């Protein structure tokens, strides 16, 4: 099933895209599976996801654990830890 | 029901007008926090990126939690995005309550949670051409943790 991916901050820059639509195989069941599948494409994906401790995800606008299931997901956002606000 | 005002915008924040709006609700105690870009170490410009679909939802959740926890009369949370120069306002959190403690505590709660939960990322651009994404700080998570007690 096709999923819309969104990339932000350093991950967006490393991949060189702000988002894309992908159609991963059925074996891709979780966010981690999805990231592994993207990394297999090489290049910017390898750099973007090199440090998994600094990877955060949201499915359909809700923060999720990286082990979260992709079942029913329409949109997956991948990004570094947030640094909003000031002071 | 408290009056919730949650905005994500490029434009500057009119703090005076926002506080007047809260004062008009009749609560009696109004507290606010304004975040301004620090121009340290030759930093010229701060670029704020956000997740457009998600940001307002997360900010609204945080505002609702504060409103419930302190029975607020009104809550205002406004966050800017885009390029911001040193001295420009980034964020305003403000709360109107019947008494000062609720207003002050709610205001601190709002900014602590925004820093760790709202999907914003900051990139610093320096005068010498360098630029770097701001890393999270352990102190931010610690500031949020104190509200879990």
């Amino acid at each position: 099933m096709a999923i819309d991916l969104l990339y932000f901050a350093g991950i967006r820059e490393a991949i060189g895209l702000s988002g894309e639509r992908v159609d991963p195989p059925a074996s891709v069941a979780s966010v981690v599976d999805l990231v592994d599948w993207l990394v297999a494409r090489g290049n910017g994906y390898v750099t973007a996801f090199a440090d998994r401790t600094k990877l955060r995800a949201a499915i359909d606008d809700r923060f999720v654990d990286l082990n979260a299931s992709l079942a029913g997901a329409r949109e997956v956002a991948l990004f570094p830890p947030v640094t909003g606000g000031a002071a | 029901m408290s009056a919730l005002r949650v905005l994500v915008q490029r434009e500057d924040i009119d703090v005076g007008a926002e506080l007047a709006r809260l004062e008009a609700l009749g609560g009696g105690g109004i507290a606010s926090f304004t975040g301004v870009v620090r121009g340290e170490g030759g930093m010229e410009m701060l670029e704020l990126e956000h997740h457009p679909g998600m940001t307002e939802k997360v900010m609204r959740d945080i505002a609702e939690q504060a409103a419930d926890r302190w029975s607020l009369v009104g809550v205002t949370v406004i966050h800017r995005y885009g390029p911001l120069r040193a001295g420009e306002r980034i964020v305003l959190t403000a709360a109107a309550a019947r008494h000062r403690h609720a207003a002050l505590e709610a205001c601190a709660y709002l900014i602590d949670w925004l820093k760790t939960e709202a999907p914003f990322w900051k990139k610093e651009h320096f005068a010498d051409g360098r630029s770097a994404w701001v890393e999270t700080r352990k102190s931010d998570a610690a500031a949020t943790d104190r509200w879990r007690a």
Side-chain angles (χ1 to χ4, degrees):
Chain A
M1 200 184 78
I3 303 173
D4 287 317
L5 301 185
L6 297 176
Y7 307 126
F8 293 100
I11 287 173
R12 171 179 56 75
E13 288 181 337
I15 294 170
L17 292 171
S18 58
E20 60 187 314
R21 173 166 276 212
V22 296
D23 198 352
S27 59
V28 172
S30 67
V31 176
V32 169
D33 293 344
L34 176 67
V35 172
D36 288 341
W37 181 73
L38 290 168
V39 167
R41 292 175 163 185
N43 297 325
Y45 297 97
V46 178
T47 313
F49 302 121
D51 186 354
R52 302 287 174 96
T53 65
K54 288 183 181 162
L55 178 62
R56 301 290 183 271
I59 294 179
D60 296 329
D61 298 338
R62 295 201 174 277
F63 287 109
V64 294
D65 191 88
L66 294 187
N67 294 311
S69 165
L70 293 175
R74 292 185 307 271
E75 179 193 278
V76 177
L78 298 165
F79 44 78
V82 305
T83 56
Chain B
M1 279 296 288
S2 38
L4 258 60
R5 182 167 160 83
V6 175
L7 298 169
V8 185
Q9 63 186 38
R10 269 196 110 90
E11 310 81 62
D12 192 14
I13 301 163
D14 186 340
V15 175
E18 295 301 336
L19 296 186
R21 186 188 289 265
L22 285 172
E23 287 165 6
L25 297 174
I30 290 89
S32 71
F33 170 84
T34 307
V36 172
V37 179
R38 275 188 303 259
E40 288 174 340
M43 199 205 61
E44 280 196 326
M45 198 260 282
L46 192 65
E47 186 187 332
L48 271 117
E49 181 172 335
H50 75 122
H51 180 333
M54 189 176 169
T55 317
E56 202 161 317
K57 285 182 202 168
V58 171
M59 286 169 58
R60 185 160 287 276
D61 283 350
I62 295 168
E64 282 173 1
Q65 284 157 22
D68 288 348
R69 185 165 174 158
W70 284 279
S71 301
L72 300 175
V73 176
V75 187
T76 298
V77 181
I78 303 176
H79 208 303
R80 296 180 70 190
Y81 66 94
L84 298 173
R85 300 206 165 268
E88 285 199 74
R89 298 180 195 100
I90 303 181
V91 61
L92 171 73
T93 67
R98 280 167 204 86
H99 301 285
R100 70 183 181 281
H101 288 301
L104 288 164
E105 284 185 16
C107 200
Y109 174 95
L110 288 165
I111 191 62
D112 283 349
W113 278 102
L114 273 185
K115 288 219 53 139
T116 53
E117 297 289 314
F120 285 95
W121 299 274
K122 294 192 284 201
K123 189 176 195 177
E124 295 176 323
H125 294 266
F126 297 90
D128 60 8
R130 282 181 305 123
S131 65
W133 290 99
V134 176
E135 299 262 328
T136 45
R137 290 180 305 199
K138 285 203 174 67
S139 59
D140 290 340
T144 309
D145 284 344
R146 78 187 162 111
W147 298 108
R148 293 184 212 271

